[in-house]
Amino acid sequence: MFSKSCEYGLRAVIFIAQQSHLGHKASLTSISQAVDSPPAFTAKILQQLAKNNLIDSSKGPKGGFFMAPEAMKTLTLEAVVTVLDGDSIYTNCGLGLKQCNDKKPCPLHFKFVAIKEELKAMLQNTTLIMLVNDMNLYRFHLKR
């Protein structure tokens, strides 16, 4: 459903939030290893997230990527998806057809409408701090 860059970006943001919650900054190397993403690809994704103020970064020997506690409480997964993939996940045809809408639907159109609405609600209602707290309670992982 998500592009590769969005998948990696979501995992990276969750990892950065987790590290920030522990009081640590995350290096590019640690992020790419934690989410099993190529470093150069990860760098481009992180640059895009930082440019859109979803994550912060600092340079130097004690630098890295991080999130402020308040940002973790308010930043939703929808914001990350929107920056990396736009709204195509909510608007594009589930079968990839160019001409698909209520008037000219594909065979899956109306089934996908409900799925897209549920997905959008989940992304809008899930903050980074919620995921960090869940990761503290359960044994979730970010690698394939």
Side-chain angles (χ1 to χ4, degrees):
M1 277 191 130
F2 300 115
S3 69
K4 271 289 180 224
S5 60
C6 189
E7 287 177 9
Y8 288 137
L10 285 166
R11 288 188 284 191
V13 167
I14 294 167
F15 178 76
I16 293 166
Q18 181 185 39
Q19 293 302 301
S20 296
H21 191 66
L22 296 171
H24 306 296
K25 291 180 183 172
S27 69
L28 172 61
T29 303
S30 69
I31 296 166
S32 64
Q33 288 174 350
V35 302
D36 203 22
S37 171
F41 193 45
T42 305
K44 287 182 182 182
I45 294 166
L46 295 174
Q47 184 179 36
Q48 198 172 357
L49 294 170
K51 180 181 171 187
N52 284 277
N53 300 312
L54 299 187
I55 60 173
D56 293 305
S57 66
S58 61
K59 295 181 181 186
K62 295 189 180 208
F65 295 91
F66 61 96
M67 295 180 71
E70 283 305 311
M72 288 188 279
K73 291 177 186 174
T74 59
L75 183 63
T76 63
L77 295 182
E78 182 193 32
V80 178
V81 170
T82 300
V83 163
L84 298 173
D85 275 358
D87 68 350
S88 63
I89 193 161
Y90 313 121
T91 58
N92 287 358
C93 172
L95 293 178
L97 302 176
K98 291 181 182 178
Q99 291 285 327
C100 180
N101 54 47
D102 288 348
K103 293 180 182 175
K104 191 176 179 184
C106 76
L108 296 177
H109 179 77
F110 295 106
K111 292 184 186 299
F112 263 97
V113 168
I115 292 168
K116 289 176 186 179
E117 287 173 2
E118 284 183 44
L119 177 64
K120 187 170 190 171
M122 183 275 294
L123 294 172
Q124 288 174 331
N125 295 313
T126 304
T127 62
L128 272 292
I129 197 66
M130 292 166 74
L131 295 177
V132 168
N133 290 336
D134 285 350
M135 289 179 80
N136 290 335
L137 294 173
Y138 306 104
R139 300 189 112 193
F140 293 123
H141 61 93
L142 295 171
K143 284 188 178 184
R144 289 183 178 218

